[in-house]
Amino acid sequence: MNAETLELPIRDTRIAELSVKQVLPTPAWFLAARGDELPRGAPLARAVNGVPVVLYRDSTGRVAALEDRCPHKNVALSLGRVRGDTLQCWYHGWRFNRIGVVVDVPCHSPTEKIPACAVRAFPAVERDEWIWVTLGADGAPAEPPSYPRDDAYGWFELQNVIHAPVDLILENGLDCSHTGFAHEGLFRSAPRDDIRARIEETATGVRVETLDEHSAGAKDVRSVLGRRQQIRHVDEVILPHTLRVDYWIGDHAHVVTILVATPEDEFRTRVYTRMGVRYGWLTPLVTRYVRWVTQKVVAQDIAILNSQGERIRRYGRREFRNVTADLPAAWMQRAFRGFLDGRYPSGPLRTREITYKL
Ligand code: FES
Ligand SMILES: [Fe+2]
């Protein structure tokens, strides 16, 4: 077989035909990595919405994102190495530039041209120390979201892999009624007070404000931070993968949480959590304390979500029974399903107030 005949089928196929199914069937920017996880010179493998993606920095430090499968023999490109502005496959050394085009085939014949093939390249943006990737389908916003870190706050970040789907992780973050049990003594205790919650659909998801909450009598993080103060607490899901939680305690304390969940496959999700704490001159100390509590609380939530994911997978589907305290999660689920179908919001945005024991 000469080089001419070899080239023919390859020349017709610039980008591979095969692709893997995306977990969330919707265009969006997904959080692929923290900036400091991607040093220059070393590629990083990630699964982004179910698609294998390799990230690397070119010679200027700019992030490139390619599908993590070599078009030659389908080895993961992330096993290779960064050479200047290109990524070189480990197997036969083919090199690809940041737009995915093959620029070198080291073992070519003297008469052979480089085959006209490429891997998919994805838009990647580094913003506020996070690297966002969109898989390129039409309809994603022009830019990824921005979550800057205000200097008046103390900041820390967590990253966890949870064996549960994205929506159950968002639901968990929105669900106050588990906290007195799953996090007893650390974050709330057995339900005691009637509290009200206002649930609102927003243009981008669902917002839940917990009303009438105060720290008096609490034997947990709220009493340490608040000492009999009024608490203002808002949870907001920004579809399809983000949860923002704000606690304002008294006049001067504020704790903000941004959680972004990136599906790696249907039952495996990488969760990035960025938390900011403002507490006057005690901010550095209180940030360390909140970090300590948060790590314990998150470990409890992960154990629960892993169990929930395992049971749902084993039984083949979900079968939930909702009570009033589950309405924030139920509204979130309705919005989430609608968003994935491309019909959220579909009409006037709804609001509802509920009362339950917390
Ligand atoms: S499999 Fe990548 S160069 Fe051969
Ligand atoms: Fe929890």
Side-chain angles (χ1 to χ4, degrees):
M1 199 182 276
N2 62 33
E4 266 322 285
T5 55
L6 244 184
E7 267 182 53
L8 281 175
I10 301 173
R11 194 186 279 140
D12 291 343
T13 314
R14 285 198 61 86
I15 301 261
E17 285 166 19
L18 284 178
S19 56
V20 290
K21 193 168 158 250
Q22 297 188 24
V23 178
L24 300 182
T26 186
W29 287 90
F30 291 94
L31 182 43
R34 287 197 323 261
D36 63 5
E37 291 182 279
L38 186 64
R40 283 196 198 200
L44 179 68
R46 280 293 147 87
V48 176
N49 200 22
V51 176
V53 171
V54 52
L55 304 171
Y56 75 95
R57 292 187 190 276
D58 67 15
S59 58
T60 66
R62 233 173 109 205
V63 178
L66 305 179
E67 187 153 25
D68 193 7
R69 187 180 67 133
C70 181
H72 182 211
K73 299 277 179 180
N74 299 175
V75 170
L77 286 170
S78 54
L79 294 174
R81 57 182 172 169
V82 179
R83 300 278 303 269
D85 286 335
T86 66
L87 184 60
Q88 182 171 44
C89 181
W90 189 30
Y91 203 4
H92 311 91
W94 289 24
R95 287 196 296 123
F96 302 86
N97 64 14
R98 58 174 299 119
I99 58 168
V101 175
V102 61
V103 292
D104 188 26
V105 173
C107 297
H108 64 87
S109 118
T111 57
E112 191 180 25
K113 288 194 217 117
I114 291 179
C117 72
V119 292
R120 273 185 202 91
F122 305 115
V125 172
E126 189 166 12
R127 170 175 275 191
D128 310 318
E129 292 87 32
W130 276 349
I131 295 170
W132 297 84
V133 169
T134 175
L135 298 173
D138 292 340
E143 292 185 17
S146 172
Y147 299 109
R149 296 189 288 195
D150 184 326
D151 288 342
Y153 290 65
W155 293 94
F156 64 92
E157 301 207 1
L158 307 175
Q159 186 180 150
N160 299 100
V161 172
I162 305 180
H163 295 271
V166 166
D167 59 307
L168 293 182
I169 293 166
L170 297 178
E171 219 192 91
N172 168 269
L174 206 61
D175 170 27
C176 292
S177 69
H178 78 277
T179 51
F181 299 92
H183 314 305
E184 188 177 1
L186 263 180
F187 190 66
R188 296 209 179 89
S189 303
R192 209 188 45 175
D193 305 323
D194 283 339
I195 60 106
R196 290 174 301 141
R198 188 168 51 237
I199 317 171
E200 292 164 59
E201 290 178 342
T202 68
T204 51
V206 171
R207 179 183 185 277
V208 182
E209 180 158 1
T210 307
L211 309 163
D212 315 326
E213 196 178 356
H214 54 82
S215 58
K219 291 189 182 58
D220 56 38
V221 61
R222 292 169 307 142
S223 63
V224 175
L225 297 185
R227 286 189 216 93
R228 314 191 73 80
Q229 311 230 38
Q230 187 72 35
I231 295 176
R232 204 173 145 233
H233 167 202
V234 176
D235 298 309
E236 184 176 1
V237 166
I238 303 151
L239 295 167
H241 52 40
T242 301
L243 173 78
R244 180 186 169 117
V245 179
D246 286 279
Y247 277 92
W248 290 270
I249 304 163
D251 296 331
H252 63 292
H254 181 205
V255 179
V256 56
T257 304
I258 306 290
L259 177 155
V260 185
T262 299
E264 296 200 326
D265 64 34
E266 202 189 338
F267 278 96
R268 187 183 146 101
T269 305
R270 190 175 291 269
V271 177
Y272 301 83
T273 309
R274 172 172 288 180
M275 284 184 76
V277 178
R278 190 188 67 204
Y279 206 87
W281 65 275
L282 283 173
T283 293
L285 188 71
V286 174
T287 304
R288 282 208 293 281
Y289 169 67
V290 171
R291 182 192 180 113
W292 178 80
V293 174
T294 302
Q295 281 170 331
K296 286 180 177 293
V297 166
V298 166
Q300 293 165 336
D301 281 326
I302 291 174
I304 285 169
L305 286 161
N306 285 348
S307 162
Q308 190 185 25
E310 190 276 335
R311 286 299 128 109
I312 290 171
R313 207 169 16 184
R314 184 185 301 209
Y315 281 80
R317 65 183 171 88
R318 306 172 185 189
E319 200 177 38
F320 292 175
R321 300 278 183 268
N322 287 334
V323 294
T324 300
D326 297 313
L327 281 178
W331 277 45
M332 190 285 287
Q333 287 290 357
R334 183 173 59 198
F336 184 79
R337 301 289 149 212
F339 186 85
L340 295 189
D341 292 345
R343 45 169 188 82
Y344 182 85
S346 62
L349 300 171
R350 284 171 280 201
T351 301
R352 180 164 169 192
E353 204 169 286
I354 58 172
T355 303
Y356 65 96
K357 274 213 180 332
L358 188 65

